Amino acid sequence: VPFAKEPPVGAIIVFDCTGEGPRGTAYRKAGHLVIGGNPFDRALELNRPEGARIARRAGMVTPPTYPFGDIPSALRFLKKTDGKWFVKVSGDGIELDTYDAPDSEFMSRYLKWVQETAEVKPFVLQQKVEGTEVSCNGWFNGHEFVPPFDITLEEKKCLAGDLGCRTGCE
């Protein structure tokens, strides 16, 4: 919600979700300290293929990542490609936006189900690598990162051994 009047001098404005880039930029130009609300927040989180491109341009090393705009093209890719896969769908959505499959056949079955049950947005297939997936999020005030950081272990199932219901991250 926009401020009813200009924030007081010295106020720190914090945005806690994506999509506030224009407001954050406007407040920064007015001389306020702003955390979050940056022009890249939507591209990094809500458009997975664009987020992957930005990460590569910044020199980040990531597992092999392949962007897709539709499920049929991903299914053709999976038919000729082996391996364990993650799918990460664009948008600020629900748990069916991510899935980790033990092989290409499981991923194909999952994508066919998604196609029948949900609106399909641009997505990436990312090859699984050994290790524990760690998520790290930080606030950026336009000049530097501002601690503390949010770090989670991306355990997707509630029980040890990858068993139980999907929980997101822990």
Side-chain angles (χ1 to χ4, degrees), residues 8 19 27 32 35 56 61 72 81 100 117 126 135-136 141 161 163 169:
Y27 287 131
H32 297 287
I35 299 172
R56 280 192 305 276
V61 178
T81 311
D100 53 294
T117 58
Q126 190 171 69
S135 170
C136 179
N141 68 11
L163 300 172
C169 52

Side-chain angles (χ1 to χ4, degrees), residues 13 49 70 99 118 142 151 155 160:
I13 302 165
D70 61 76
Y99 180 70
I151 300 172
E155 293 295 331

Side-chain angles (χ1 to χ4, degrees), residues 85-149:
W85 296 95
F86 287 98
V87 62
K88 298 179 179 184
V89 178
S90 298
D92 189 14
I94 56 175
E95 271 301 304
L96 69 79
D97 290 348
T98 62
Y99 180 70
D100 53 294
D103 59 40
S104 296
E105 183 182 335
F106 267 76
M107 183 57 74
S108 294
R109 288 175 41 205
Y110 177 76
L111 290 176
K112 288 174 186 174
W113 174 78
V114 169
Q115 185 171 322
E116 295 172 4
T117 58
E119 176 186 346
V120 178
K121 300 176 182 180
F123 62 96
V124 296
L125 289 177
Q126 190 171 69
Q127 199 162 39
K128 185 175 182 177
V129 296
E130 290 305 315
T132 300
E133 183 181 0
V134 177
S135 170
C136 179
N137 304 287
W139 295 101
F140 190 75
N141 68 11
H143 303 286
E144 61 189 0
F145 280 100
V146 180
F149 299 101

Side-chain angles (χ1 to χ4, degrees), residues 3 5-11 13 22-34:
F3 291 104
K5 57 184 180 173
E6 187 67 18
V9 174
I13 302 165
R23 288 178 58 203
T25 299
Y27 287 131
R28 279 187 192 91
K29 285 182 180 175
H32 297 287
L33 177 60
V34 179

